[in-house]
Protein backbone atom coordinates (compact mmCIF):
# COMPACT_ATOMS: atom_id res chain seq x y z
CA UNK A 1 0.00 0.00 0.00
CA UNK A 2 2.87 2.40 0.77
CA UNK A 3 4.43 1.63 -2.63
CA UNK A 4 1.08 2.23 -4.38
CA UNK A 5 0.78 5.62 -2.67
CA UNK A 6 4.30 6.70 -3.70
CA UNK A 7 3.59 5.77 -7.32
CA UNK A 8 0.21 7.50 -7.57
CA UNK A 9 0.62 10.65 -5.51
CA UNK A 10 -0.22 13.70 -7.65
CA UNK A 11 0.61 16.72 -5.49
CA UNK A 12 2.40 17.60 -2.28
CA UNK A 13 3.33 20.81 -0.50
CA UNK A 14 6.95 21.88 -1.12
CA UNK A 15 7.74 21.31 2.54
CA UNK A 16 7.33 17.56 2.07
CA UNK A 17 9.31 17.57 -1.18
CA UNK A 18 12.50 18.90 0.31
CA UNK A 19 14.70 16.14 1.58
CA UNK A 20 13.43 16.11 5.15
CA UNK A 21 16.59 14.58 6.54
CA UNK A 22 18.08 14.73 9.96
CA UNK A 23 21.77 13.91 9.88
CA UNK A 24 22.34 11.06 12.26
CA UNK A 25 18.73 10.93 13.39
CA UNK A 26 18.03 7.54 14.84
CA UNK A 27 14.55 7.96 16.23
CA UNK A 28 12.63 9.67 13.44
CA UNK A 29 8.89 9.48 12.76
CA UNK A 30 6.61 8.30 11.28
CA UNK A 31 7.23 4.55 11.07
CA UNK A 32 5.45 1.37 10.13
CA UNK A 33 4.06 -0.57 13.08
CA UNK A 34 4.67 -4.25 12.58
CA UNK A 35 2.04 -5.88 14.77
CA UNK A 36 4.00 -9.12 15.01
CA UNK A 37 7.24 -7.42 16.03
CA UNK A 38 5.69 -5.13 18.62
CA UNK A 39 6.27 -6.25 22.19
CA UNK A 40 3.52 -6.43 24.82
CA UNK A 41 4.54 -4.47 27.91
CA UNK A 42 2.41 -5.41 30.94
CA UNK A 43 3.85 -2.45 32.84
CA UNK A 44 2.17 0.13 30.60
CA UNK A 45 -0.43 1.95 32.68
CA UNK A 46 -3.89 3.13 31.68
CA UNK A 47 -3.86 6.43 29.81
CA UNK A 48 -5.56 9.34 31.53
CA UNK A 49 -6.65 12.14 29.17
CA UNK A 50 -8.47 14.90 31.05
CA UNK A 51 -9.50 17.66 28.70
CA UNK A 52 -11.41 20.82 29.59
CA UNK A 53 -13.31 22.09 26.53
CA UNK A 54 -13.06 25.62 27.96
CA UNK A 55 -9.35 25.65 27.05
CA UNK A 56 -10.19 25.39 23.33
CA UNK A 57 -9.40 28.70 21.65
CA UNK A 58 -9.07 28.82 17.89
CA UNK A 59 -8.41 27.12 14.58
CA UNK A 60 -5.36 28.22 12.74
CA UNK A 61 -4.54 27.38 9.11
CA UNK A 62 -0.74 27.48 9.09
CA UNK A 63 -0.49 27.03 5.33
CA UNK A 64 0.19 23.31 5.29
CA UNK A 65 -2.26 21.99 7.91
CA UNK A 66 -4.85 23.35 10.29
CA UNK A 67 -4.43 23.35 14.04
CA UNK A 68 -7.04 23.51 16.78
CA UNK A 69 -5.24 25.34 19.56
CA UNK A 70 -5.75 25.06 23.33
CA UNK A 71 -4.79 27.34 26.18
CA UNK A 72 -1.81 25.56 27.75
CA UNK A 73 -0.88 28.11 30.40
CA UNK A 74 -2.37 25.93 33.15
CA UNK A 75 -2.91 22.22 33.85
CA UNK A 76 -6.54 22.18 32.71
CA UNK A 77 -6.20 19.83 29.73
CA UNK A 78 -3.69 17.11 30.44
CA UNK A 79 -2.45 13.66 29.55
CA UNK A 80 -0.70 11.27 31.91
CA UNK A 81 -0.30 7.55 32.51
CA UNK A 82 0.32 5.07 29.73
CA UNK A 83 4.06 5.14 28.97
CA UNK A 84 4.42 8.65 30.49
CA UNK A 85 6.09 9.46 33.78
CA UNK A 86 5.18 13.11 33.81
CA UNK A 87 2.05 15.13 33.19
CA UNK A 88 1.73 16.66 29.73
CA UNK A 89 -0.45 19.60 28.62
CA UNK A 90 -2.53 19.62 25.45
CA UNK A 91 -1.54 22.51 23.19
CA UNK A 92 -3.07 21.62 19.84
CA UNK A 93 -4.38 18.92 17.58
CA UNK A 94 -4.17 18.60 13.80
CA UNK A 95 -4.57 16.03 11.05
CA UNK A 96 -2.65 14.60 8.12
CA UNK A 97 -4.61 13.35 5.12
CA UNK A 98 -4.34 12.26 1.49
CA UNK A 99 -5.79 13.34 -1.82
CA UNK A 100 -8.07 10.26 -1.75
CA UNK A 101 -9.12 7.56 0.70
CA UNK A 102 -6.25 5.21 -0.21
CA UNK A 103 -3.61 7.03 1.79
CA UNK A 104 -2.99 10.00 4.09
CA UNK A 105 -1.89 8.63 7.47
CA UNK A 106 1.70 9.07 8.60
CA UNK A 107 1.97 5.85 10.58
CA UNK A 108 1.00 2.54 9.04
CA UNK A 109 0.04 -0.81 10.57
CA UNK A 110 1.67 -3.74 8.80
CA UNK A 111 2.28 -1.35 5.88
CA UNK A 112 -1.43 -0.49 5.59
CA UNK A 113 -2.35 3.14 5.21
CA UNK A 114 -5.40 4.92 6.57
CA UNK A 115 -6.94 7.94 4.79
CA UNK A 116 -6.06 10.32 7.65
CA UNK A 117 -4.42 10.53 11.07
CA UNK A 118 -5.18 12.81 14.01
CA UNK A 119 -2.35 14.07 16.24
CA UNK A 120 -3.06 15.45 19.71
CA UNK A 121 0.11 17.29 20.74
CA UNK A 122 1.03 17.60 24.45
CA UNK A 123 4.15 18.97 26.14
CA UNK A 124 5.82 18.08 29.41
CA UNK A 125 4.78 20.81 31.82
CA UNK A 126 6.37 19.02 34.81
CA UNK A 127 9.86 19.45 33.33
CA UNK A 128 9.62 22.48 31.05
CA UNK A 129 8.24 25.99 31.26
CA UNK A 130 7.20 26.42 27.63
CA UNK A 131 6.21 24.36 24.60
CA UNK A 132 9.12 25.91 22.67
CA UNK A 133 11.52 24.53 25.26
CA UNK A 134 9.93 21.08 25.42
CA UNK A 135 10.16 20.70 21.62
CA UNK A 136 13.95 20.60 21.88
CA UNK A 137 14.15 18.00 24.67
CA UNK A 138 14.19 14.22 24.79
CA UNK A 139 11.12 13.78 26.97
CA UNK A 140 9.45 17.01 25.89
CA UNK A 141 6.38 15.94 23.92
CA UNK A 142 3.71 13.25 23.90
CA UNK A 143 1.59 12.89 20.78
CA UNK A 144 -1.50 10.69 20.57
CA UNK A 145 -2.10 9.38 17.06
CA UNK A 146 -5.58 8.26 16.01
CA UNK A 147 -6.27 6.72 12.60
CA UNK A 148 -9.35 7.84 10.66
CA UNK A 149 -11.19 5.36 8.48
CA UNK A 150 -14.10 5.98 6.15
CA UNK A 151 -17.53 5.01 7.41
CA UNK A 152 -20.39 6.89 9.01
CA UNK A 153 -20.40 10.60 9.79
CA UNK A 154 -18.52 11.47 13.00
CA UNK A 155 -20.81 13.82 14.94
CA UNK A 156 -18.01 15.31 17.05
CA UNK A 157 -15.77 15.96 14.06
CA UNK A 158 -18.65 17.63 12.20
CA UNK A 159 -18.56 20.61 14.60
CA UNK A 160 -14.97 21.14 13.54
CA UNK A 161 -15.64 20.52 9.85
CA UNK A 162 -18.37 23.18 9.94
CA UNK A 163 -15.91 25.70 11.39
CA UNK A 164 -12.93 25.08 9.10
CA UNK A 165 -11.52 28.42 8.06
CA UNK A 166 -10.91 29.74 4.61
CA UNK A 167 -8.68 32.40 6.15
CA UNK A 168 -5.88 31.92 8.62
CA UNK A 169 -7.46 32.13 12.11
CA UNK A 170 -11.01 31.66 13.37
CA UNK A 171 -12.36 31.59 16.89
CA UNK A 172 -13.29 28.05 17.89
CA UNK A 173 -14.31 27.31 21.46
CA UNK A 174 -15.69 24.65 23.80
CA UNK A 175 -14.55 21.73 21.65
CA UNK A 176 -13.89 18.58 23.70
CA UNK A 177 -11.05 16.72 21.96
CA UNK A 178 -11.86 13.50 23.81
CA UNK A 179 -14.78 13.03 21.38
CA UNK A 180 -12.11 12.25 18.75
CA UNK A 181 -10.59 9.38 20.74
CA UNK A 182 -11.65 5.80 20.03
CA UNK A 183 -13.67 3.89 22.64
CA UNK A 184 -10.76 1.77 23.80
CA UNK A 185 -8.00 4.26 24.51
CA UNK A 186 -6.16 1.59 26.46
CA UNK A 187 -5.15 -0.37 23.41
CA UNK A 188 -2.18 1.46 21.95
CA UNK A 189 1.36 1.13 20.61
CA UNK A 190 4.09 3.38 21.93
CA UNK A 191 7.61 4.20 20.75
CA UNK A 192 10.23 6.96 20.95
CA UNK A 193 10.21 9.20 17.89
CA UNK A 194 10.26 12.71 16.47
CA UNK A 195 8.14 15.52 15.11
CA UNK A 196 7.16 14.81 11.50
CA UNK A 197 7.73 18.39 10.31
CA UNK A 198 10.69 20.72 10.88
CA UNK A 199 12.41 20.95 13.34
CA UNK A 200 11.97 17.11 13.34
CA UNK A 201 13.34 17.02 16.87
CA UNK A 202 13.52 13.64 18.61
CA UNK A 203 11.35 14.82 21.47
CA UNK A 204 8.22 12.74 21.05
CA UNK A 205 6.77 9.80 22.94
CA UNK A 206 4.28 8.51 20.37
CA UNK A 207 1.08 6.82 21.56
CA UNK A 208 -0.76 5.33 18.59
CA UNK A 209 -4.31 4.11 19.13
CA UNK A 210 -5.03 0.63 17.81
CA UNK A 211 -8.70 1.40 17.15
CA UNK A 212 -9.44 3.91 14.38
CA UNK A 213 -12.36 6.36 14.48
CA UNK A 214 -14.93 6.45 11.70
CA UNK A 215 -15.55 9.59 9.65
CA UNK A 216 -17.47 10.03 6.41
CA UNK A 217 -16.04 10.52 2.95
CA UNK A 218 -17.72 13.94 2.87
CA UNK A 219 -15.97 15.02 6.07
CA UNK A 220 -12.59 14.14 4.56
CA UNK A 221 -13.64 15.93 1.36
CA UNK A 222 -13.98 19.15 3.38
CA UNK A 223 -10.37 18.74 4.64
CA UNK A 224 -9.29 18.35 1.00
CA UNK A 225 -11.13 21.52 -0.02
CA UNK A 226 -8.78 23.62 2.14
CA UNK A 227 -5.90 25.32 0.35
CA UNK A 228 -2.15 25.29 0.89
CA UNK A 229 -0.51 28.68 0.82
CA UNK A 230 1.79 28.78 -2.14
CA UNK A 231 5.08 30.57 -2.65
CA UNK A 232 3.98 31.39 -6.19
CA UNK A 233 1.39 34.14 -6.04
CA UNK A 234 -1.96 33.24 -7.47
CA UNK A 235 -1.37 29.50 -7.55
CA UNK A 236 -3.81 27.69 -5.32
CA UNK A 237 -3.27 24.08 -4.40
CA UNK A 238 -5.54 21.78 -2.44
CA UNK A 239 -4.31 20.98 1.04
CA UNK A 240 -3.75 17.24 0.59
CA UNK A 241 -0.93 14.74 1.12
CA UNK A 242 0.41 16.72 4.08
CA UNK A 243 2.27 13.79 5.60
CA UNK A 244 5.91 12.81 5.93
CA UNK A 245 7.25 9.62 4.35
CA UNK A 246 8.17 6.76 6.62
CA UNK A 247 11.45 6.60 8.46
CA UNK A 248 13.62 3.62 9.42
CA UNK A 249 12.84 1.96 12.74
CA UNK A 250 16.55 1.44 13.48
CA UNK A 251 17.28 0.22 16.99
CA UNK A 252 13.81 0.78 18.45
CA UNK A 253 11.15 -1.41 19.99
CA UNK A 254 7.47 -0.67 19.59
CA UNK A 255 5.64 -1.65 22.75
CA UNK A 256 1.96 -2.53 22.89
CA UNK A 257 -0.40 -2.16 25.83
CA UNK A 258 -2.42 -5.19 24.71
CA UNK A 259 -1.88 -8.78 23.57
C1 LIG B 1 1.64 20.11 11.90
O1 LIG B 1 2.48 19.10 12.49
C2 LIG B 1 1.45 21.29 12.78
C3 LIG B 1 2.73 21.76 13.46
C4 LIG B 1 3.42 20.57 14.10
C5 LIG B 1 3.69 19.54 13.05
O2 LIG B 1 2.18 20.54 10.69
O3 LIG B 1 0.51 20.94 13.77
O4 LIG B 1 2.45 22.69 14.49
C6 LIG B 1 2.68 24.02 14.28
C7 LIG B 1 2.67 24.83 15.50
O5 LIG B 1 2.83 24.46 13.16
O6 LIG B 1 4.66 21.02 14.65
C8 LIG B 1 6.04 21.75 16.39
C9 LIG B 1 4.77 21.14 15.98
O7 LIG B 1 3.94 20.74 16.78
C10 LIG B 1 4.45 18.34 13.61
O8 LIG B 1 3.72 17.71 14.61
S1 LIG B 1 3.61 16.17 14.60
O9 LIG B 1 4.94 15.62 14.73
O10 LIG B 1 2.70 15.83 15.63
N1 LIG B 1 3.05 15.71 13.20
ZN1 LIG C 1 1.13 15.54 12.96
Amino acid sequence: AVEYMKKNLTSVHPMWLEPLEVPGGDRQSPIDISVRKSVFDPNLKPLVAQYDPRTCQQIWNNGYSFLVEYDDTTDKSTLRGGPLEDQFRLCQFHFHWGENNDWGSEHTVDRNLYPAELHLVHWNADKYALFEEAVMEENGLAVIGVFLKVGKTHEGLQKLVDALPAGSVVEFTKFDPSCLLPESINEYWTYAGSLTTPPLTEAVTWIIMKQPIEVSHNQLAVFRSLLFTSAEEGVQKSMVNNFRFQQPLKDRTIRSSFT
Side-chain angles (χ1 to χ4, degrees):
V2 172
E3 291 67 31
Y4 175 82
M5 178 272 287
K6 287 192 177 174
K7 227 185 297 156
N8 292 285
L9 204 64
T10 65
S11 74
V12 284
H13 186 275
M15 190 201 345
W16 284 274
L17 286 176
E18 286 159 29
L20 284 172
E21 294 304 321
V22 176
D26 55 12
R27 47 170 284 196
Q28 289 289 297
S29 295
I31 55 164
D32 176 54
I33 296 163
S34 162
V35 174
R36 193 175 49 85
K37 287 189 199 144
S38 68
V39 177
F40 170 59
D41 182 351
N43 296 319
L44 285 169
K45 297 182 199 77
L47 257 187
V48 185
Q50 279 171 329
Y51 298 138
D52 180 345
R54 287 172 301 179
T55 61
C56 184
Q57 293 182 314
Q58 60 185 27
I59 309 179
W60 181 47
N61 179 335
N62 68 3
Y64 49 90
S65 185
F66 69 84
L67 281 62
V68 177
E69 298 184 315
Y70 286 76
D71 172 13
D72 60 359
T73 55
T74 62
D75 275 331
K76 286 200 182 105
S77 288
T78 59
L79 178 69
R80 59 192 161 81
L84 308 171
E85 309 222 315
D86 300 315
Q87 178 158 275
F88 290 66
R89 275 183 204 164
L90 177 70
C91 56
Q92 52 112 326
F93 70 81
H94 63 270
F95 299 81
H96 303 264
W97 62 92
E99 63 183 281
N100 59 45
N101 294 340
D102 289 336
W103 63 74
S105 65
E106 295 206 303
H107 290 89
T108 55
V109 180
D110 289 339
R111 304 289 284 167
N112 289 308
L113 294 150
Y114 285 90
E117 182 173 333
L118 159 67
H119 289 158
L120 294 137
V121 182
H122 312 75
W123 58 276
N124 189 336
D126 281 349
K127 296 247 160 72
Y128 307 105
L130 292 169
F131 172 78
E132 289 71 17
E133 201 184 316
V135 163
M136 305 312 293
E137 304 294 334
E138 179 137 358
N139 190 23
L141 304 178
V143 182
I144 297 183
V146 182
F147 296 117
L148 277 61
K149 72 169 192 183
V150 176
K152 53 183 186 304
T153 302
H154 191 293
E155 302 299 337
L157 183 69
Q158 191 57 35
K159 285 193 204 137
L160 173 57
V161 165
D162 289 336
L164 283 180
S168 73
V169 185
V170 294
E171 188 189 65
F172 187 63
T173 56
K174 299 182 206 137
F175 186 81
D176 185 355
S178 46
C179 79
L180 298 175
L181 295 173
E183 268 165 52
S184 49
I185 68 162
N186 281 314
E187 291 186 326
Y188 58 82
W189 294 283
T190 183
Y191 77 97
S194 73
L195 289 173
T196 65
T197 62
L200 302 171
T201 41
E202 299 184 332
V204 183
T205 298
W206 281 96
I207 301 167
I208 309 286
M209 293 292 145
K210 180 191 178 213
Q211 197 180 66
I213 57 168
E214 253 183 56
V215 307
S216 70
H217 172 83
N218 287 343
Q219 291 181 312
L220 288 176
V222 176
F223 284 13
R224 296 181 189 124
S225 73
L226 297 170
L227 296 172
F228 278 142
T229 47
S230 168
E232 308 155 67
E233 290 286 332
V235 183
Q236 299 211 308
K237 285 216 169 124
S238 303
M239 186 182 280
V240 294
N241 303 329
N242 53 0
F243 52 84
R244 187 187 191 196
F245 285 143
Q246 295 215 322
Q247 304 297 309
L249 182 62
K250 299 205 172 164
D251 198 19
R252 287 180 285 183
T253 304
I254 302 173
R255 293 180 290 155
S256 69
S257 66
F258 59 94
T259 49

Coordinates of all heavy atoms in Angstrom, one line a residue, residues 94 96 106 119 196, ligand 2:
H94 N -4.1 18.4 15.3 CA -4.2 18.6 13.8 C -4.3 17.2 13.1 O -4.2 16.2 13.8 CB -2.9 19.3 13.4 CG -1.7 18.5 13.6 ND1 -0.9 18.6 14.8 CD2 -1.0 17.6 12.9 CE1 0.1 17.8 14.7 NE2 0.1 17.2 13.6
H96 N -3.4 14.8 9.4 CA -2.6 14.6 8.1 C -3.6 13.8 7.3 O -4.2 12.9 7.8 CB -1.3 13.8 8.4 CG -0.4 14.5 9.3 ND1 0.6 15.3 9.0 CD2 -0.4 14.5 10.7 CE1 1.2 15.8 10.0 NE2 0.6 15.3 11.1
E106 N 0.2 9.1 8.5 CA 1.7 9.1 8.6 C 2.2 7.7 9.1 O 3.1 7.1 8.5 CB 2.2 10.2 9.6 CG 1.8 11.6 9.0 CD 2.7 12.6 9.6 OE1 2.9 12.8 10.8 OE2 3.4 13.4 8.7
H119 N -3.4 13.9 15.3 CA -2.3 14.1 16.2 C -2.7 15.1 17.3 O -3.0 16.2 17.0 CB -1.0 14.5 15.6 CG -0.4 13.5 14.7 ND1 0.5 13.8 13.7 CD2 -0.5 12.1 14.7 CE1 0.8 12.7 13.1 NE2 0.2 11.6 13.7
T196 N 7.1 15.2 12.9 CA 7.2 14.8 11.5 C 7.3 16.0 10.6 O 7.2 15.8 9.3 CB 5.9 14.0 11.2 OG1 4.8 14.8 11.3 CG2 5.8 12.8 12.1
Ligands
LIG2 ZN1 1.1 15.5 13.0

